[in-house]
Amino acid sequence: MEKIEKLFGMMNTHAEKIEKEQDATFLEGILDALETWLDGEVDFTVEGATKEDIRKAVQIAILKGMRKGSQPNHQMTPDTLGLLVGYFVEQFFEERLEKEKISIMDPAVGTGNLLLTVMNLLDGKVEATGVEVDELLIRLAAATADLTEQPVSLYRQDALQDLLANPADAIVCDLPVGYYPNDEVALDYELCAAEGMSYAHHLFIEQSVNYTKDGGYLFFLAPTHLFESEQSKQLHKYIKKHAWIQAIIQLPDTMFANKAHEKSIVILQKQGEGYKAPKEVLLAKVPNMQNKQALSMFFEKVQMWKEAK
């Protein structure tokens, strides 16, 4: 913690100085801190700090910036959720990872926290791509990836339009929830709403399936009520046609301040020749993270399901 605090302290001082002198936001100050560090104009190096220490310090600084500003698209996936997603990526690709690297894409990469948490966990075994439309967020993601020495190709574009990226072995995505404003683009999707505006999170699922290799896996942080909304019939139909549900993992209520914001991890596999549906879908609930015994039983249940696959 001491190294993380030192790193954060230096970034914070720099950001506050930029905020005052240049009439900038704190987040812009953090971006300046990271970019000038990368350019060698300032040095925030802390002896013995790991890639994960750097990522955590940057995350704390970005979180402070997000709390100070109030842009709704400036949200960050918490570490606990990132580590859980990383754990499942590791479980589903365990045999592959012993022999080779895998490619991962996050089509709503934001500041890169979810993607980089997974990459740090699978250190050296992943090549990644991120897509993000917001310029400030993607620059923060690029600077953090460079500082943590993780190989990420980043594309600044609307992820629901044709992507410049290649299909990946795995998709990780904290789904942006809400309505998608571009009706014209939505028309190209099977999950385009018959009436009114389409759900962005549904379109992100479809686009993610489009950019996953056959037999690849998709790991979504999705609204807990994903399959209960008024457009969910269409979603069920789409998934049945193109993918298999591997697992639905409900996250602890204690993680979310508001019931409406509760999420689950939904794991899909893209259908393809030579692949088959799982014998049974893993349905589980992550216990309170403070309860070590219950947590250990949860991971045991996942292992038993995996062995029976």
Side-chain angles (χ1 to χ4, degrees), residues 18-301:
I18 295 291
E19 201 180 7
K20 233 176 253 164
E21 291 173 3
Q22 298 181 16
D23 193 26
T25 66
F26 185 82
L27 266 186
E28 287 165 341
I30 288 298
L31 178 63
D32 188 83
L34 302 182
E35 290 184 340
T36 50
W37 184 10
L38 282 166
D39 291 343
E41 291 168 42
V42 296
D43 187 7
F44 297 140
T45 310
V46 170
E47 202 182 330
T50 63
K51 293 178 184 182
E52 192 58 1
D53 291 334
I54 294 170
R55 185 193 64 74
K56 282 183 174 168
V58 173
Q59 184 215 20
I60 294 164
I62 292 172
L63 274 174
K64 178 178 173 180
M66 285 176 177
R67 286 196 182 116
K68 288 181 87 164
S70 58
Q71 280 184 265
N73 63 327
H74 288 184
Q75 297 296 329
M76 188 191 274
T77 308
D79 274 10
T80 319
L81 300 188
L83 290 166
L84 270 171
V85 170
Y87 164 77
F88 282 107
V89 173
E90 198 170 27
Q91 294 306 308
F92 278 84
F93 285 95
E94 196 169 28
E95 286 178 25
R96 280 271 306 272
L97 289 165
E98 283 168 15
K99 297 176 280 200
E100 59 189 2
K101 286 184 180 183
I102 61 165
S103 56
I104 294 184
M105 186 200 295
D106 184 343
V109 78
T111 61
N113 203 49
L114 171 61
L115 185 59
L116 291 168
T117 303
V118 173
M119 290 184 82
N120 278 353
L121 194 67
L122 306 173
D123 202 17
K125 298 174 184 174
V126 172
E127 282 163 355
T129 304
V131 182
E132 175 55 51
V133 75
D134 185 295
E135 188 190 356
L136 176 61
L137 300 189
I138 202 165
R139 283 176 67 189
L140 285 163
T144 314
D146 285 348
L147 287 167
T148 52
E149 298 172 344
Q150 291 293 12
V152 185
S153 303
L154 292 166
Y155 298 93
R156 187 185 166 211
Q157 65 171 120
D158 175 352
L160 296 177
Q161 299 196 18
D162 286 343
L163 296 183
L164 299 161
N166 294 318
D169 296 310
I171 299 284
V172 297
C173 186
D174 190 345
L175 293 170
V177 177
Y179 290 106
Y180 180 57
N182 193 332
D183 291 340
E184 209 175 303
V185 171
L187 285 171
D188 294 337
Y189 285 83
E190 286 181 48
L191 286 170
C192 174
E195 283 173 26
M197 292 172 86
S198 304
Y199 281 147
H201 41 298
H202 286 192
L203 302 184
F204 264 89
I205 290 172
E206 183 172 338
Q207 182 73 320
S208 297
V209 171
N210 293 340
Y211 282 86
T212 305
K213 294 176 186 175
D214 285 359
Y217 293 97
L218 304 96
F219 304 83
F220 295 120
L221 282 165
T224 292
H225 306 298
L226 181 71
F227 296 112
E228 293 161 30
S229 71
E230 72 266 21
Q231 293 181 27
S232 62
K233 223 182 227 177
Q234 217 179 336
L235 181 64
H236 272 289
K237 200 174 152 189
Y238 172 82
I239 290 175
K240 206 173 171 187
K241 184 177 166 189
H242 297 281
W244 296 299
I245 296 176
Q246 289 277 346
I248 297 176
I249 314 293
Q250 205 180 329
L251 296 165
D253 328 345
T254 48
M255 275 189 179
F256 308 96
N258 187 326
K259 200 163 173 57
H261 298 152
E262 284 179 13
K263 293 184 181 187
S264 295
I265 298 173
V266 175
I267 304 172
L268 306 178
Q269 182 179 24
K270 184 173 178 176
Q271 293 178 13
E273 214 175 306
Y275 299 96
K276 56 182 193 291
K279 286 178 199 161
E280 65 169 318
V281 174
L282 171 64
L283 299 172
K285 181 169 180 173
V286 179
N288 186 314
M289 305 298 266
Q290 263 63 55
N291 187 335
K292 288 202 164 63
Q293 196 183 350
L295 207 53
S296 156
M297 283 169 73
F298 165 77
F299 288 122
E300 219 169 278
K301 181 179 176 175

